Structure formats: C-alpha cells, structure tokens
Amino acid sequence: MNTNRDLNYRLYVQKTDGFIRTPFNTEFEHYILVKSGNVEKVKNDFDSVRKNFFTGKGKLSDDPIRNIMYHFVVAAAVVARVCVEGGLGHDTAYTLSDIYIQKADKCKSVDAIIDMLGEMMVDFASRMHELKKDNVVSIHIRKCIDYIYDHLHEDLSIKRLSEVIGLNSSYLSKLFVKEKGITINEFITRTKISTAENLLKFSDFTSLEISMALGYSSQSAFISVFKKINGVTPKQYRDSQYMSNITNT
C-alpha cells in the first residue's frame, strides 16, 4: 500500500493549520519521569499536560473516544517497557498495562480516559519508587542520579554534577563508584544508550534525532558509543527489534 499521497496531504494540512507535533524528547521525558519513581513530580507533570492534553498530539481517529483510546494504548505500552528497563518485573509491568487498557476501554468519555491515564502513570511511578527503596543510596547520589535522568538531553559533566550536588568533584566521583559500582560517566553512557534502545524499539525517530535529544555532539559519536556497547549500529538494532515489538504490543 503506497501511503505517500496520504502522507504528503496530511503534512500539508498540518502545516496549513499550524499544527506542531510535540518534540519526541519532550514527550519521552514524561516516561523517564515515571521511571524515576518521583510520584509527586509525575502528578504535577500530568496535571500540567492535562490542561492542553491534545496539543502536539496527532489525530488517530475521527471518533473522539477511539482517538484518545489509541493514545492511551500507546502510552501504556511505552510506560510498561520503560519501567521494565528500570527494573520493574516483566510480568508485573505488562499485566499492569493490560489492566489499565481494559479499565480505559470501559470508560464512557474522553475525560474519563485521560483521568485513567493519569492514574496509570502515578501507579507505575509508585511501583518504581518502591522498587528503588531496595537499592538505597545516599541523598547525594540519589540527587545526582535524578539530575542525570532529568537532563539526559544535555552534555553532562562531572563538574556540572558536582556544582548541582554541592560536593567536590573528586569526592562525588569516588562516592558514586562506591555506591553504584561504576563511574559517573559509565552511568551516564548506560542511561543514554538504554533510553536510545527504547526509542529505537518503540518510535520512528531517526538516529540523528535521538543523538540530538540525548546530547551527543554528533550522530557519528552516538553511533560509535551505541555500537561499542551493543555490538551493532542503531540501524541494525532497530531492524532486529522494532517490528517484533510492534507485533507483541
């Protein structure tokens, strides 16, 4: 099926209407926030998003209920996978996702489904919060990790982290290794690549877009780091992972 004609028409209409799709790094930050387990931030974040929920979101159906339901299913699939990546049990995450999709399917209004979405995000965040209690670290390292997750799109450095945390760079580096078992730079790299893996699996964003969103100096630098860790390029990784995950959604 050739979709070029429909695609070109839709892009033209969106441009004419002034439609601007939400940047993927901004959208994905909502899921990273859930993964962090910061329940209050997730609540506040969703309250803010809810005020203009459909701004920057594509139209998936002419029927309002079906449209929001499609968005809900996508969100449920992504948040489950992100939380699995963060350590939540595979069966727990996917079963919880199924439960909320079934709950949303019984809702009779757009607002009710949006409310259910907020409830789901908070539930996942709460479970991630409890999970992280089993891996307790000092307040300084917790603050450092939270900052890294919140600023993955930036060019993070130990100097910047030490300024934010309020500790000497050398002491922070040693403390991080002592509590997490790896260096700060290794943790940043693993976190960025983990996020890149999710984006390659569950989105259509290009390697260039992903590399820019994760603060890499260039696409080639991102590809080099990704290949060093996974043994394959981002394209090869997507080719082997993307369609199978769509099939299993």
Side-chain angles (χ1 to χ4, degrees):
M1 179 180 178
N2 191 329
T3 57
N4 285 334
R5 182 175 180 180
D6 288 342
L7 175 61
N8 290 332
Y9 174 73
R10 182 67 64 85
L11 291 173
Y12 171 77
V13 171
Q14 289 178 355
K15 184 176 181 180
T16 302
D17 291 344
F19 173 76
I20 300 176
R21 194 176 296 276
T22 302
F24 82 91
N25 57 310
T26 300
E27 183 176 0
F28 203 72
E29 283 175 0
H30 301 311
Y31 299 107
I32 295 299
L33 192 58
V34 173
K35 180 181 176 181
S36 75
N38 191 324
V39 178
E40 286 306 312
K41 271 192 175 182
V42 170
K43 288 180 180 177
N44 293 334
D45 179 68
F46 189 79
D47 286 343
S48 177
V49 171
R50 201 192 192 295
K51 295 176 182 177
N52 299 288
F53 185 82
F54 290 102
T55 300
K57 289 182 171 62
K59 185 178 180 181
L60 306 182
S61 173
D62 290 331
D63 180 89
I65 297 291
R66 187 171 295 177
N67 180 56
I68 184 59
M69 193 62 205
Y70 286 155
H71 281 293
F72 188 100
V73 171
V74 171
V78 175
V79 74
R81 286 161 173 76
V82 168
C83 288
V84 167
E85 185 67 33
L88 190 62
H90 179 275
D91 288 342
T92 297
Y94 286 101
T95 302
L96 192 62
S97 172
D98 292 344
I99 289 171
Y100 274 103
I101 289 174
Q102 291 171 19
K103 283 177 173 285
D105 191 47
K106 295 177 181 178
C107 293
K108 304 299 183 182
S109 70
V110 170
D111 285 340
I113 296 175
I114 295 176
D115 288 339
M116 187 62 67
L117 178 58
E119 182 180 329
M120 179 183 70
M121 300 295 264
V122 170
D123 192 348
F124 270 96
S126 298
R127 293 171 190 275
M128 294 304 297
H129 178 73
E130 291 301 315
L131 181 66
K132 291 177 185 297
K133 285 183 179 178
D134 296 332
N135 186 24
V136 178
V137 294
S138 68
I139 185 64
H140 295 299
I141 300 306
R142 180 73 264 158
K143 187 176 179 181
C144 182
I145 291 173
D146 287 343
Y147 186 86
I148 290 171
Y149 276 124
D150 289 342
H151 296 80
L152 278 181
H153 56 289
E154 298 179 6
D155 183 16
L156 293 164
S157 67
I158 295 176
K159 180 181 178 181
R160 175 56 184 159
L161 288 169
S162 65
E163 292 172 351
V164 172
I165 308 307
L167 293 178
N168 174 274
S169 296
S170 178
Y171 179 71
L172 176 61
S173 297
K174 292 177 180 178
L175 184 63
F176 198 97
V177 171
K178 179 181 178 181
E179 297 193 19
K180 297 301 295 180
I182 58 175
T183 67
I184 291 176
N185 284 333
E186 287 175 322
F187 182 85
I188 292 171
T189 298
R190 289 186 186 182
T191 303
K192 286 190 175 187
I193 295 303
S194 174
T195 301
E197 289 169 359
N198 279 317
L199 289 170
L200 289 166
K201 288 179 184 178
F202 310 119
S203 79
D204 294 322
F205 303 117
T206 66
S207 291
L208 176 59
E209 290 172 324
I210 293 173
S211 66
M212 292 174 62
L214 294 177
Y216 282 94
S217 58
S218 65
Q219 182 180 3
S220 59
F222 164 62
I223 293 173
S224 176
V225 174
F226 191 95
K227 187 174 182 179
K228 182 177 180 180
I229 291 178
N230 287 297
V232 294
T233 66
K235 183 181 184 306
Q236 291 170 328
Y237 184 87
R238 167 168 278 164
D239 289 344
S240 66
Q241 296 287 330
Y242 182 63
M243 289 310 298
S244 62
N245 279 291
I246 288 180
T247 302
N248 293 327
T249 296

